Amino acid sequence: MAVATSRQWLIFTLAGQTYGFDVHSVREIVSLRDMRIHRLPESSPLVEGVVSLRNRPIEVIDVRAALGMPPLHEETEAISKLLKEREEDHCRWIQELEACVAENREFKLATNPHKCKFGQWYDKLLGDVIELARLTNNDLALVTTLEQLDEPHRKIHGIAERVLGHVAAGEVAEARRVIDETRETELRALRVIFSKCREQIENSRRGLLFVFTTEGGTVGGLVDRVSEVARFSDDQIHPASDVDVGKELLLGLAEYGDAGKMIQLLDVEAIARLRLGECKAPPTPAPIPIEAVVNACKGYVPAANSIVA
């Protein structure tokens, strides 16, 4: 009886989904925190740009784009823009409260911190472990900074009742004092934390660069983050022939982790050929639907020792 061979795979994530590259295809992994990707005019949409690695230019493929996902930098810019808008919302909230006091009119903005746009987004985010990990790219320092937004945010909304109570009692000067004090304390603190969040988001979501040695030469692949190295034997890798979407980019499917999640093992050569138009890119949205992965693996029984990390 033939003994099954095994290979090691680098497990990584893209937009919260799990994938793998054959370790032997990856020459090195490089952090992009201190590196700049130079955009190339009129290049393939799959090409993020070029980096200089030890004074050698390397073309970078956005692996997200190769699979039909929004590029990491576009998603990061959208998150930063949202946080800036929510910060400005609270500056306008204070201004409107001040105007209502001066003009003796009803204040109609949200006084409950869970009801404003930011509060609704924030509560949903912190209540969803998977989405929080995706947004922060599993950066615990960023999670801590996000959590720091809660206290000043609640205190800002909490002054509305006090201020309106002072107005009702004819204590307009005291109402204005509370607003001025809040602007210089809680609002200032909130803005500092918002700024820190945006900075950390941009740093934590710069991605990692896989440097591949392919038939066409050295090329880079941009991914969100690396999880670990796992080992799969040949009989643990299920063929992707039954998957209809994006199967030309797959070497196979494998069960990963204690929960039995199926991950997609990608073909480095096929992805490298995409930028040259030699391989058909999957349509958008191209991440292979989990239903297709599950259906392709029906009846597949992995070996007992399915993963050795």
Side-chain angles (χ1 to χ4, degrees):
M1 180 177 177
V3 177
T5 59
S6 64
R7 285 186 285 173
Q8 289 184 312
W9 298 81
L10 273 168
I11 309 302
F12 63 95
T13 58
L14 298 170
Q17 298 192 49
T18 310
Y19 300 87
F21 277 134
D22 187 340
V23 166
H24 294 294
S25 300
V26 182
R27 195 177 76 187
E28 60 182 306
I29 303 174
V30 181
S31 171
L32 291 172
R33 291 203 175 194
D34 299 317
M35 296 181 67
R36 179 184 174 188
I37 298 179
H38 301 272
R39 313 288 180 193
L40 294 175
E42 300 181 2
S43 62
S44 164
L46 305 181
V47 176
E48 182 75 2
V50 171
V51 297
S52 177
L53 186 60
R54 291 185 288 277
N55 296 319
R56 180 180 178 183
I58 295 178
E59 192 173 33
V60 177
I61 300 171
D62 187 338
V63 182
R64 275 179 170 237
L67 295 173
M69 302 176 186
L72 182 61
H73 73 269
E74 286 186 8
E75 192 175 87
T76 301
E77 288 166 4
I79 296 169
S80 293
K81 180 180 178 183
L82 181 145
L83 289 177
K84 184 63 177 176
E85 289 173 350
R86 299 293 79 87
E87 176 187 335
E88 294 302 325
D89 284 348
H90 288 82
C91 294
R92 288 190 290 270
W93 190 94
I94 288 284
Q95 291 170 356
E96 175 62 10
L97 183 60
E98 187 174 46
C100 287
V101 170
E103 299 166 16
N104 194 27
R105 56 182 172 84
E106 183 183 2
F107 182 66
K108 297 182 179 180
L109 299 183
T111 57
N112 185 330
H114 303 288
K115 298 297 184 182
C116 71
K117 288 182 179 179
F118 171 73
Q120 294 178 39
W121 174 84
Y122 185 78
D123 290 346
K124 183 177 179 181
L125 176 67
L126 267 65
D128 187 334
V129 175
I130 294 176
E131 186 59 28
L132 181 62
R134 174 178 170 178
L135 183 142
T136 61
N137 210 14
N138 284 284
D139 186 333
L140 296 181
L142 175 53
V143 173
T144 298
T145 304
L146 283 168
E147 291 173 343
Q148 291 171 358
L149 289 166
D150 182 58
E151 183 177 0
H153 176 242
R154 284 189 293 102
K155 286 183 175 179
I156 288 171
H157 282 272
I159 72 165
E161 186 175 340
R162 289 171 54 204
V163 167
L164 298 176
H166 286 308
V167 172
E171 302 168 348
V172 175
E174 181 62 16
R176 288 173 174 165
R177 187 197 68 77
V178 172
I179 292 172
D180 289 341
E181 182 181 63
T182 302
R183 181 181 281 117
E184 294 303 315
T185 55
E186 277 78 19
L187 183 61
R188 184 185 295 273
L190 188 74
R191 300 196 71 177
V192 168
I193 300 169
F194 264 123
S195 178
K196 186 176 179 181
C197 281
R198 291 193 298 272
E199 181 181 351
Q200 287 181 302
I201 283 171
E202 290 171 3
N203 286 332
S204 66
R205 293 172 56 89
R206 292 179 70 87
L208 289 171
L209 181 67
F210 284 174
V211 180
F212 305 119
T213 301
T214 69
E215 293 177 356
T218 302
V219 65
L222 179 63
V223 305
D224 294 10
R225 66 182 294 269
V226 175
S227 301
E228 61 177 313
V229 176
R231 183 181 295 274
F232 301 104
S233 64
D234 292 343
D235 59 2
Q236 292 168 344
I237 298 176
H238 188 69
S241 56
D242 295 331
V243 175
D244 295 326
V245 182
K247 63 183 178 183
E248 63 274 7
L249 302 181
L250 290 178
L251 292 172
L253 308 166
E255 186 176 2
Y256 173 67
D258 295 336
K261 177 171 62 175
M262 302 305 297
I263 68 169
Q264 302 161 47
L265 306 177
L266 300 179
D267 185 342
V268 169
E269 294 291 344
I271 290 177
R273 290 195 298 271
L274 277 176
R275 78 192 198 283
L276 304 175
E278 297 174 5
C279 182
K280 183 181 178 181
T284 302
I288 299 173
I290 191 62
E291 294 83 1
V293 175
V294 171
N295 290 337
C297 296
K298 281 182 178 177
Y300 171 60
V301 180
N305 58 339
S306 56
I307 295 290
V308 179

